[in-house]
Amino acid sequence: MISDNSSNIPQQIQPKDSPSQPKRSFTFVKTQAEVPLTIAVKAVDETGEVIDKHVACERPLTVYLNWRPIVTLMTLGAKPESLALGYLKNQGFISDVSQLESVIVDWGVNSAAVLTREQTADIDKKLSEKTVTSGCGQGTVYGSFMQDLEDIQLPRPSLKQSTLYSLLKNINEYNDTYKNAGAVHGCGVCEADQILAFVEDVGRHNAVDTLAGDMWLAQDRGDNKIFYTTGRLTSEMVIKVAKMGIPVLLSRSGVTQMGLELAQNLGITIIARAKGRHFLVYHGSENLEFDVNTSPSK
Amino acid sequence: MISDNSSNIPQQIQPKDSPSQPKRSFTFVKTQAEVPLTIAVKAVDETGEVIDKHVACERPLTVYLNWRPIVTLMTLGAKPESLALGYLKNQGFISDVSQLESVIVDWGVNSAAVLTREQTADIDKKLSEKTVTSGCGQGTVYGSFMQDLEDIQLPRPSLKQSTLYSLLKNINEYNDTYKNAGAVHGCGVCEADQILAFVEDVGRHNAVDTLAGDMWLAQDRGDNKIFYTTGRLTSEMVIKVAKMGIPVLLSRSGVTQMGLELAQNLGITIIARAKGRHFLVYHGSENLEFDVNTSPSK
């Protein structure tokens, strides 16, 4: 564990106005420098040769809301403050960004403590509503997670195949931890062929929540964005992206039946198996302009 | 949803004696025929051509223990009864197999109701102990999950590289849903180069729990087994395999730092990145006999 406290200076982050509240400052304190994302290890390959490899770090982060422990996430630890905020937002513990007082991340005790200006909705009630778990294992989802989906109105996107290829090419520049150590999923918020933000984590849902936390804090709209993930498009993944207001979901992996049905109901364009020149549009192909001459696939 | 009730006949499963209890019968009732694991969909590929594809099914399964809802798992649904039992066993809700009275799976209401002969340990207390979540997303793990690890004594395995290659070759015969639809993880319990059981699920932890449930019901020991998974070896994965008493973990994916540390402490041989002829032994290479002449890897 790194104990260098050089970055132990409160950082003022100014969230944009939320409709209901005047602008207020938000304090983010991190009581340690960045934690390492990979560590060097020795491995023996099939020839019996000892070689130097890296493995992705995995560490617990307990998220507290107004001193109440909510959940412990196993995470790579790249952006703990955004992960904590995105998790609480996606699970419906906090809805109004202007209510945020501070988040204090302390890797010494693996905690992210979030404080709000006024008490949030009954935390006990929320915790008791826990029912559904994610397609990628057994992730906790609180009752409110599935609510408000019918309120979501996503714009109809317009996308060019050439832009898609350009984006996929640009994404290859990311995935640093994956290239170095593997065992992580990567997610990115993109606009046209540009990657606005990219996060890797040992848990793909952590990566989504981290980006959701960033967008929420910046009050960014997802209208013109594309959400990229290396992970599978299960129900929970599609719902989280819909809550970010992003109408296009791009994955190098596949989609499940429930993920697809949700995308159809929510109007999310689903482009899966996107690797190199290949992709499969499972929903919303009318939103994609096929402006690249490709030879028929096998 | 299939409503054919042709398999609506109680099946008597005879769990082996557990040390503490006499042999008793266990009833498993399934109120529907098998549910489909994939469904046919249309997709548009990069040439603009509409093609027929299959996607993996994903459905909720709410696990009840003595009429108390415990968790809802998003699952492919291949072996709901084993999944429910394995989940309850791995999370410490039931420890003695002879306590099992019945499990009733009803896909009409997506439930798996498990009954025990006597009341189990305080369920409320257990549910309140929930703290840690999985490396693959945000899986719920109950307090007791991390307990008893120090009691685990795993035998030192002896494995040949030639057997490993033979096993990897045999595993290629499985992964049916993956080959058909993708978006699932596969796990197998193996002995030498033979696959004794193989399960696929949209959640990799569901696949592990399903196999754990089968082994628990049959009171199989893991001593001479190898656990194979297509998924990443995160902390929770390693712990679950240790609880199955299996000393070798084989994955086509990578390992995280915490997964590796746990394997080192528990004495689990970790063979990751196993694909074709390639693999990397991250721990326990002294247990592997390199009896195949391979050319040095790049």
Side-chain angles (χ1 to χ4, degrees):
Chain A
M1 212 38 107
I2 293 178
S3 58
D4 162 14
N5 287 341
S6 57
S7 70
N8 190 357
I9 309 118
Q11 301 162 40
Q12 294 289 331
I13 302 170
Q14 195 75 335
K16 294 216 188 103
D17 283 347
S18 71
S20 60
Q21 300 277 346
K23 189 184 289 291
R24 284 163 151 181
S25 74
F26 165 72
T27 305
F28 161 49
V29 186
K30 208 164 169 185
T31 66
Q32 275 187 334
E34 302 303 310
V35 287
L37 301 186
T38 66
I39 60 162
V41 297
K42 301 281 183 189
V44 177
D45 72 7
E46 66 274 14
T47 69
E49 185 188 354
V50 177
I51 55 178
D52 293 309
K53 300 294 290 184
H54 282 78
V55 295
C57 290
E58 181 188 3
R59 44 179 68 92
L61 181 73
T62 300
V63 178
Y64 294 82
L65 176 57
N66 297 327
W67 313 117
R68 280 289 311 277
I70 302 299
V71 69
T72 299
L73 306 170
M74 300 303 296
T75 178
L76 185 66
K79 295 191 81 178
E81 65 287 356
S82 302
L83 171 58
L85 294 175
Y87 180 85
L88 292 173
K89 193 264 185 184
N90 270 341
Q91 298 299 336
F93 285 95
I94 318 174
S95 54
D96 184 349
V97 72
S98 70
Q99 279 302 308
L100 290 174
E101 176 92 43
S102 65
V103 54
I104 299 171
V105 174
D106 185 346
W107 280 122
V109 292
N110 292 83
S111 72
V114 176
L115 292 178
T116 58
R117 292 194 164 71
E118 285 127 49
Q119 279 302 315
T120 47
D122 187 340
I123 292 176
D124 294 311
K125 185 166 176 302
K126 276 231 170 295
L127 290 172
S128 71
E129 285 169 344
K130 167 182 69 64
T131 48
V132 183
T133 71
S134 97
C136 180
Q138 293 153 349
T140 303
V141 174
Y142 294 95
S144 51
F145 181 76
M146 304 295 284
Q147 294 165 8
D148 320 324
L149 285 185
E150 59 280 358
D151 305 341
I152 293 175
Q153 293 293 336
L154 297 173
R156 181 173 169 177
S158 166
L159 196 62
K160 282 186 170 169
Q161 183 174 12
S162 52
T163 314
L164 193 67
Y165 283 155
S166 173
L167 172 59
L168 288 171
K169 194 164 164 296
N170 293 337
I171 284 169
N172 287 334
E173 305 304 312
Y174 292 79
N175 294 315
D176 296 340
T177 302
Y178 183 80
K179 285 177 200 154
N180 183 12
V184 293
H185 277 298
C187 291
V189 172
C190 317
E191 188 171 338
D193 66 353
Q194 296 303 303
I195 295 96
L196 307 180
F198 196 90
V199 173
E200 293 180 292
D201 205 301
V202 287
R204 66 191 177 129
H205 287 295
N206 292 346
V208 185
D209 285 347
T210 302
L211 291 170
D214 281 341
M215 282 184 73
W216 185 47
L217 207 54
Q219 291 285 291
D220 279 350
R221 293 176 58 83
D223 296 22
N224 55 347
K225 309 281 197 307
I226 299 167
F227 192 91
Y228 171 82
T229 175
T230 57
R232 296 165 302 132
L233 304 178
T234 53
S235 53
E236 193 175 349
M237 197 60 128
V238 173
I239 290 170
K240 285 183 175 180
V241 169
K243 289 189 168 196
M244 293 164 82
I246 299 178
V248 182
L249 193 36
L250 174 66
S251 171
R252 59 178 287 124
S253 185
V255 63
T256 67
Q257 158 224 7
M258 193 172 288
L260 181 55
E261 284 171 8
L262 279 161
Q264 288 162 342
N265 296 337
L266 293 163
I268 294 179
T269 297
I270 292 277
I271 307 172
R273 303 262 166 240
K275 225 177 286 185
R277 308 284 286 177
H278 178 61
F279 60 79
L280 290 172
V281 188
Y282 282 92
H283 181 64
S285 60
E286 66 278 9
N287 303 327
L288 183 67
E289 182 186 333
F290 293 83
D291 63 341
V292 177
N293 180 17
T294 49
S295 59
S297 66
K298 291 291 140 290
Chain B
M1 213 33 112
I2 293 178
S3 59
D4 162 16
N5 287 342
S6 57
S7 71
N8 192 359
I9 308 113
Q11 301 163 42
Q12 293 290 329
I13 302 170
Q14 195 74 333
K16 294 214 187 107
D17 283 347
S18 70
S20 60
Q21 300 276 347
K23 191 184 287 290
R24 286 164 149 181
S25 74
F26 165 72
T27 306
F28 161 50
V29 185
K30 208 162 168 186
T31 65
Q32 276 188 336
E34 301 302 310
V35 287
L37 302 186
T38 65
I39 60 162
V41 296
K42 301 280 182 191
V44 178
D45 72 8
E46 67 275 15
T47 69
E49 186 188 353
V50 177
I51 55 177
D52 294 309
K53 300 294 290 184
H54 282 78
V55 294
C57 290
E58 181 188 4
R59 44 181 66 92
L61 181 74
T62 300
V63 178
Y64 294 83
L65 176 58
N66 297 327
W67 313 115
R68 280 290 309 278
I70 303 298
V71 70
T72 299
L73 307 169
M74 301 303 296
T75 178
L76 185 67
K79 296 192 79 177
E81 65 287 357
S82 302
L83 171 58
L85 294 175
Y87 180 86
L88 292 173
K89 192 263 186 184
N90 271 341
Q91 298 299 335
F93 285 95
I94 318 173
S95 54
D96 183 350
V97 72
S98 70
Q99 279 304 307
L100 289 174
E101 174 92 45
S102 65
V103 55
I104 299 171
V105 174
D106 186 346
W107 279 121
V109 290
N110 292 84
S111 72
V114 176
L115 292 179
T116 58
R117 293 193 162 72
E118 285 125 49
Q119 280 301 316
T120 47
D122 186 340
I123 293 175
D124 294 309
K125 185 167 175 301
K126 276 230 170 296
L127 290 172
S128 70
E129 287 169 343
K130 167 181 68 65
T131 50
V132 184
T133 69
S134 97
C136 180
Q138 293 154 347
T140 304
V141 173
Y142 294 95
S144 52
F145 181 76
M146 304 296 282
Q147 295 164 8
D148 319 323
L149 285 185
E150 59 282 355
D151 305 342
I152 293 176
Q153 293 292 336
L154 297 173
R156 181 175 168 176
S158 165
L159 197 61
K160 281 186 172 166
Q161 182 174 13
S162 53
T163 313
L164 192 68
Y165 282 156
S166 173
L167 172 59
L168 289 171
K169 192 164 164 298
N170 293 337
I171 284 170
N172 288 332
E173 305 304 311
Y174 292 79
N175 293 314
D176 296 339
T177 302
Y178 183 81
K179 285 177 199 149
N180 183 11
V184 292
H185 276 297
C187 291
V189 172
C190 317
E191 188 171 339
D193 66 352
Q194 296 303 304
I195 295 96
L196 307 180
F198 196 89
V199 172
E200 294 177 292
D201 206 300
V202 287
R204 69 194 173 124
H205 287 294
N206 292 345
V208 186
D209 285 346
T210 301
L211 291 170
D214 282 342
M215 282 184 73
W216 184 47
L217 208 53
Q219 291 286 291
D220 279 349
R221 294 177 57 83
D223 296 21
N224 54 345
K225 309 281 197 307
I226 298 166
F227 193 92
Y228 171 82
T229 174
T230 58
R232 296 164 302 132
L233 304 178
T234 52
S235 53
E236 192 176 347
M237 198 60 129
V238 173
I239 290 170
K240 285 183 174 179
V241 168
K243 288 188 168 196
M244 293 163 82
I246 299 180
V248 182
L249 193 36
L250 174 66
S251 171
R252 66 181 278 127
S253 186
V255 62
T256 67
Q257 157 226 7
M258 193 173 289
L260 180 55
E261 283 172 9
L262 280 161
Q264 288 163 341
N265 296 338
L266 292 163
I268 293 179
T269 298
I270 292 277
I271 306 172
R273 302 262 164 239
K275 224 177 289 186
R277 308 284 285 177
H278 178 60
F279 61 79
L280 290 172
V281 188
Y282 281 91
H283 181 64
S285 60
E286 66 278 10
N287 303 327
L288 183 66
E289 182 185 333
F290 293 84
D291 63 342
V292 177
N293 180 16
T294 49
S295 58
S297 67
K298 291 292 138 290

